[in-house]
Structure formats: C-alpha cells, structure tokens
Amino acid sequence: MHEKKHTPMASSTATAAAESRELITRKPGPAAREHVLGYRGFRFGARQPRCRLLVPDGVVKVMLGFGESVRIADAVDPRQSVTGTSMINGLRATATLGEHTGQLSGVTVMLTPIAAFRFFGVPMAELAERNLDPADLLGREAGRLLCRLAECRDWASRFALLDGVFAARAQAGPECATEVVWAWRRLGRTHGRIRVADLATETGWSRRRLERRFREQVGLPPKQFAQVLRLQEALRLQDGGLPWAEAAALAGYYDQAHFTRAFRDRVGCTPGRFGTRRASSKPGDPLDFLPDQVTSVLLAE
C-alpha cells in the first residue's frame, strides 16, 4: 500500500480553505424591520486560535451557527466563559472575548433589547451579562430553525427565513411598557447623557419603578445602559478622528483619567491599547456589527 502524498497544490488549497472568509451583511426585510437591526452571514476559517474583543454596544445578538464552536469569556474576568456553536448574547456592561479555531459559520441576528423582550417573552434581566444556548429559550424550535437555515441554498434565503421567524414571534410576544420604550429611546438620543431621576420625572414614574421595569424589559438598569451608550459615543467620536481626550469630554466624562478608568473597568484594557489595535486591523476585517458603532477589535490571529 502506498502512502498518499499531498502535492503543493493540495496543500495550498487546504490552507486557503482553512483561512477562507465570507461576510454578508443585510438589513431586514419590511416584515422584520421594526424588530431586527441587521443580519450577518459569516464563514471564517482559522488554522490558529483567533480572538476578538467585543465591547458593550447595547444590542442583543443571536448567533445561529453551523460550524465549530466558539468560546465566549468575560474580558474583565476571563475565568467566566461558555462554549457553544449557537448563542444568545444578552446586554452586557462589560466586554467579552470571542475565541475560535477551525471553520466558524452561521448567521448573527442583531436585535434591540425591546425587540428581544417581545421575541423571547422572558424578563431581559435573565439574559443580561449571559450567553445562553437558544434551546434554553426556544426549546425544540431552536433546533428546527438551525436545520432550516442549514438547508437554505444561499444567504438571501436564510435572511428571508429569519425575517419571517422574527417578525412572527415578535408580533406574538408581550408588549413593552410605553414608558420603558420612551426611556430607552431618550437614552439613545442623548447617548446616555441624561440623569435617571430626570428620565423618571419625564415618564411620570418613580425612579424605583422605572429602574425595575427598565431592567425587566431592557436587561440592564438605566444607569448602566446609559454608561454603555456613553462609552459607545466616545468610541464612535474617536474612531471618527478625534483625540481620546476630546472624544471623552464630548461623551460626558469628567476628564481623561475618569474616562480611562471607566474604559478599563468595562473593556479590560486602556483606550490607547484599544485604539492601537483598531488602527492596525487588516483592511476588510469585519470589525463592527452595525454602522456607526465601534464594537470589536481583533486581538490574535
């Protein structure tokens, strides 16, 4: 029996497959536009461990995977981690690290927390700071959805399928309180630069009631959610060309020291290190999940 030898061409083909990358972004169709922020169809191959830092962004993500598993760890305390092929990532106040090797493929659905509350029909506080298996919330429907997605002939078919699924479940789910939706939108418009006491006054609720209902239907308390939005605003301004100090001041931080301390507490590194990583990213690296947001940087590849 003769041993089969790999030709250089075969080796090159295998290497290309291991390092192949495909990313398709798509806005939802009209039926799901009220509930879904966007879709990302992805297929990444990595021969070496690949690690990405994901900063808090105020978005609930549903990753439905068909390939190898990914490990998600807390960037501030990496001892807290979970591994899976598919995950529901609730709102977080701190960054996470995503690590994988091999073929990673699937679809990520980006949801507002308001839409996620309607879609999953559970208190969003149960998802906050956690990464759950979709089966934990959707039961057998999660497995059926994954099979249907894997059988689709192309990305367009997968996105169309998800449009129908998310629109139908959101329509059947519980309604958010008008006051919570209003407060969530007000925080977004001000990039988190409004006091919780003022939010409560404007809704007509007590501060305690607003905090309780907001956490139930959004996931984080309004103060923490505001801090995430302020961090995102500083990142967006710096990514647009402003120095860190100016970006921090415009986002509402007292001074550079205050911003650096808050950044390290939430992201696990200094703003300077994060900016250096962003600046050294390869052209075409899919850094951010949504336009006008700074959501990640590649740490190792």
Side-chain angles (χ1 to χ4, degrees):
M1 181 179 294
H2 297 286
E3 181 180 354
K4 184 176 180 180
K5 296 182 178 180
H6 294 284
T7 65
M9 181 176 293
S11 177
S12 176
T13 301
T15 299
E19 296 179 344
S20 62
R21 296 182 188 179
E22 182 180 14
L23 178 66
I24 307 294
T25 61
R26 186 70 54 85
K27 291 182 179 180
R33 200 158 290 164
E34 180 184 352
H35 314 289
V36 179
L37 294 170
Y39 302 121
R40 280 166 57 107
F42 59 89
R43 185 176 291 109
F44 299 137
R47 291 182 301 158
Q48 301 297 325
R50 200 165 183 264
C51 180
R52 183 175 294 278
L53 174 67
L54 301 140
V55 301
D57 57 12
V59 175
V60 176
K61 303 179 189 70
V62 182
M63 184 185 77
L64 302 166
F66 323 128
E68 301 291 335
S69 61
V70 61
R71 175 177 176 267
I72 303 292
D74 189 294
V76 178
D77 183 6
R79 293 172 299 177
Q80 301 180 34
S81 68
V82 295
T83 301
T85 302
S86 299
M87 291 186 191
I88 297 172
N89 309 126
L91 291 192
R92 297 188 62 90
T94 57
T96 56
L97 297 168
E99 301 174 341
H100 80 95
T101 305
Q103 288 290 332
L104 185 69
S105 60
V107 180
T108 299
V109 185
M110 279 73 71
L111 301 171
T112 67
I114 299 299
F117 175 72
R118 296 189 64 182
F119 183 81
F120 296 117
V122 299
M124 294 306 293
E126 295 182 7
L127 274 68
E129 312 287 0
R130 299 181 68 190
N131 304 288
L132 302 176
D133 188 313
D136 293 339
L137 296 179
L138 302 179
R140 293 181 179 178
E141 184 181 346
R144 289 194 292 267
L145 177 57
L146 281 167
C147 288
R148 293 174 67 191
L149 286 170
E151 291 170 356
C152 286
R153 65 183 182 275
D154 53 31
W155 292 116
S157 301
R158 291 187 178 112
F159 298 145
L161 170 61
L162 291 169
D163 273 349
V165 169
F166 277 82
R169 281 195 63 100
Q171 289 295 331
E175 292 278 354
C176 285
T178 302
E179 292 84 355
V180 171
V181 176
W182 187 91
W184 169 72
R185 288 177 174 161
R186 183 90 164 94
L187 283 166
R189 287 194 298 268
T190 61
H191 305 293
R193 297 189 64 181
I194 181 172
R195 298 190 313 146
V196 177
D198 293 338
L199 268 182
T201 298
E202 292 176 11
T203 60
W205 282 357
S206 68
R207 176 168 179 163
R208 183 176 180 180
R209 185 182 185 189
L210 174 63
E211 289 175 337
R212 178 173 56 82
R213 296 295 297 279
F214 194 95
R215 187 166 185 268
E216 174 195 22
Q217 298 179 10
V218 175
L220 297 174
K223 183 176 181 179
Q224 275 197 332
F225 189 71
Q227 291 169 342
V228 169
L229 296 178
R230 286 169 60 203
L231 173 65
Q232 272 295 317
E233 178 67 355
L235 286 166
R236 185 186 67 82
L237 291 169
Q238 193 277 334
D239 201 58
L242 291 182
W244 280 115
E246 188 175 348
L250 290 173
Y253 292 90
Y254 302 128
D255 52 34
Q256 182 68 27
H258 173 219
F259 175 64
T260 299
R261 183 168 57 253
F263 194 98
R264 186 184 291 111
D265 288 345
R266 299 208 171 276
V267 182
C269 66
T270 64
R273 185 183 176 211
F274 184 87
T276 299
R277 291 284 190 180
R278 288 274 298 190
S280 62
S281 297
K282 297 178 181 178
D285 181 39
L287 291 172
D288 305 317
F289 283 86
L290 292 167
D292 300 322
Q293 283 194 279
V294 175
T295 60
S296 80
V297 66
L298 196 61
L299 297 182
E301 186 176 32

